[in-house]
Amino acid sequence: MPMIAFPSAHRRMPVALGVCLLSFTAFWAAQQAARVSMVDLLVYRAEGAAVRAGGDLYALRATAAQLPTTYPPFAALLFTPLPLLDTALLRALATAGNLTLLVVFVRLSLKLVGHARGATAWWVAAAAVWCEPVWTTLRYGQINLLLAVLVLWDLTRRPAGGYDRWTGAGLGLAAAVKLTPAVFPVFLLVTGLTARLGGGHAEPWLRHARGAAAAFAGATLLAAAVLPYDSWRFWTDMVFRADRAGYTEETANQALRGVLARLLHTPHPGALWAACAAVVAALGLVVAVRAELRGRRAWAVCACAVTALLISPVSWTHHWVWCVPLVLLLWTRGHRTAALGTLLVFCSYAPWWVPHGPDRPELHLNGAALALSAVYGATGGLFLVLARTSLPRTDGEVRVRP
């Protein structure tokens, strides 16, 4: 009986899936061996309990580390089911959920860069789980992958006619949970206005921005109806207190503000940071908008993500899960050296090599330690430069529907 030759793609998929499951199992075992606390997950659980009990959300101090609530009130509403679960079960479900979200995030990242091979997602996810931002996201039980999936789902879907009732929903909800993703609707708005000024078709971008604004407003108003006191307190006071999240100079803070705090040896970089952040925001949005108008959606999205991370007052290392689409974009666009360098940076765990601790040694760094403490932020800045130089050198902009 002659042998049946199956297509090579059919053979690759089970192998890739098996390798990914093996990698995830090893990762889970490593996390268990490291006795990770998943401390942020426990803070979310405490926030949910405070909402259920009618407590003061922003007076809360949770876990032995006495961590405060820093997210908008809408996030706390989403956390209300968490106290119903046993802590061990909650940790297991959060880990499984984040691993699933990682696969979805990788698939959406591949879709963003135009790579459609199904097996590739499993190979990439098997490796990506070991990079520092993803490892730390799972270590703390963080929601970074969920927010990134909401953003990419919204920006990679192509509904019939270019618009439907869900357009903008992912961006709006992500921004209602955590403010950093709000840069993406701003990017869409600026793109639409720029297209209109240039005489182009601006409505798709403006519709997308309006959809995101509506979703954000709806979620925020819902939280205000359920938690009026907490909502008033957050939007009139807590939103301006960036230091509540932790010391600015902590080496884990890879935002521009953290880099400047360590460079200047001060916990309050103040007006200099505000000026630098404004410049980076403007330049980053220019790169993203130009890329979008010239039909380079992947460059635009990644540039926007990096800009958001740089200008945010606090961008902990685990916020940089956006390194996954960055590496994929660089690799698929032929920037292989840059892709490998970026991969090395985010798999090196370099920020944790820097002296850190309760005595705040980050305020006294010099030389190599100072350079290592800025490695994520520097990589983000270099990506924006490369994104700008990689755009077509033409005065005529190709305007495409988002």
Side-chain angles (χ1 to χ4, degrees):
M1 182 176 178
M3 292 184 64
I4 300 176
F6 290 97
S8 59
H10 289 177
R11 294 197 297 269
R12 287 196 299 266
M13 180 64 79
V15 174
L17 176 59
V19 169
C20 184
L21 292 176
L22 182 62
S23 178
F24 282 7
T25 301
F27 174 88
W28 198 315
Q31 293 253 314
Q32 292 295 315
R35 297 183 180 275
V36 295
S37 64
M38 304 188 78
V39 64
D40 287 343
L41 178 64
L42 300 182
V43 174
Y44 302 155
R45 188 173 190 264
E47 290 180 30
V51 171
R52 295 171 68 92
D56 187 338
L57 189 59
Y58 294 101
L60 176 69
R61 290 295 183 273
T63 75
Q66 294 292 291
L67 297 176
T69 301
T70 58
Y71 294 172
F74 179 68
L77 288 183
L78 300 181
F79 299 149
T80 52
L82 301 186
L84 301 176
L85 301 174
D86 172 77
T87 301
L89 177 60
L90 179 61
R91 285 172 169 159
L93 290 176
T95 301
N98 263 328
L99 290 174
T100 302
L101 285 169
L102 174 61
V103 175
V104 176
F105 183 48
V106 169
R107 287 188 177 277
L108 290 172
S109 299
L110 289 169
K111 183 179 180 181
L112 178 70
V113 303
H115 189 94
R117 292 181 184 175
T120 305
W122 298 111
W123 288 111
V124 174
V129 73
W130 298 98
C131 75
E132 191 274 338
V134 175
W135 167 277
T136 312
T137 288
L138 275 85
R139 171 190 175 187
Y140 293 145
Q142 262 281 344
I143 58 172
N144 305 303
L145 289 169
L146 173 61
L147 299 180
V149 163
L150 284 172
V151 169
L152 275 191
W153 169 80
D154 205 332
L155 291 170
T156 57
R157 58 194 299 269
R158 294 291 190 272
Y163 180 81
D164 63 15
R165 63 181 177 178
W166 298 109
T167 301
L171 296 177
L173 291 175
V177 172
K178 193 171 185 178
L179 294 179
T180 307
V183 172
F184 288 95
V186 173
F187 147 71
L188 293 170
L189 175 63
V190 174
T191 302
L193 294 177
T194 304
R196 175 171 290 175
L197 289 174
H201 185 51
E203 190 58 22
W205 290 290
L206 296 180
R207 278 184 174 181
H208 206 153
R210 286 197 298 268
F216 173 81
T220 302
L221 289 173
L222 173 63
V226 179
L227 302 169
Y229 172 74
D230 292 320
S231 294
W232 173 260
R233 192 173 180 200
F234 178 82
W235 294 109
T236 61
D237 185 12
M238 298 301 162
V239 69
F240 304 108
R241 297 192 183 185
D243 290 341
R244 281 171 52 83
Y247 293 126
T248 301
E249 76 277 1
E250 287 187 49
T251 187
N253 183 10
Q254 290 293 306
L256 180 61
R257 186 165 177 254
V259 172
L260 287 174
R262 293 186 292 273
L263 179 64
L264 300 175
H265 307 296
T266 174
H268 305 293
L272 178 61
W273 165 72
C276 291
V279 171
V280 171
L283 295 177
L285 282 175
V286 166
V287 172
V289 169
R290 286 183 176 177
E292 177 73 5
L293 290 175
R294 295 174 184 181
R296 306 303 198 266
R297 168 57 65 92
W299 285 105
V301 171
C302 289
C304 196
V306 168
T307 300
L309 290 167
L310 289 174
I311 67 174
S312 174
V314 175
S315 290
W316 303 124
T317 60
H318 53 79
H319 295 170
W320 288 78
V321 293
W322 284 94
C323 66
V324 174
L326 257 65
V327 172
L328 292 174
L329 174 63
L330 292 170
W331 184 265
T332 57
R333 297 305 187 269
H335 300 284
R336 301 294 174 85
T337 301
L340 291 174
T342 303
L343 180 65
L344 177 62
V345 165
F346 288 102
C347 289
S348 67
Y349 293 66
W352 299 108
W353 303 354
V354 178
H356 58 279
D359 294 332
R360 304 174 71 177
E362 294 98 327
L363 289 174
H364 310 287
L365 298 177
N366 289 292
L370 190 60
L372 286 175
S373 76
V375 67
Y376 287 10
T379 301
L382 290 173
F383 173 82
L384 290 179
V385 173
L386 180 59
R388 175 64 184 90
T389 59
S390 297
L391 294 178
R393 296 182 180 277
T394 174
D395 293 331
E397 292 176 340
V398 181
R399 295 180 176 87
V400 295
R401 290 180 180 272

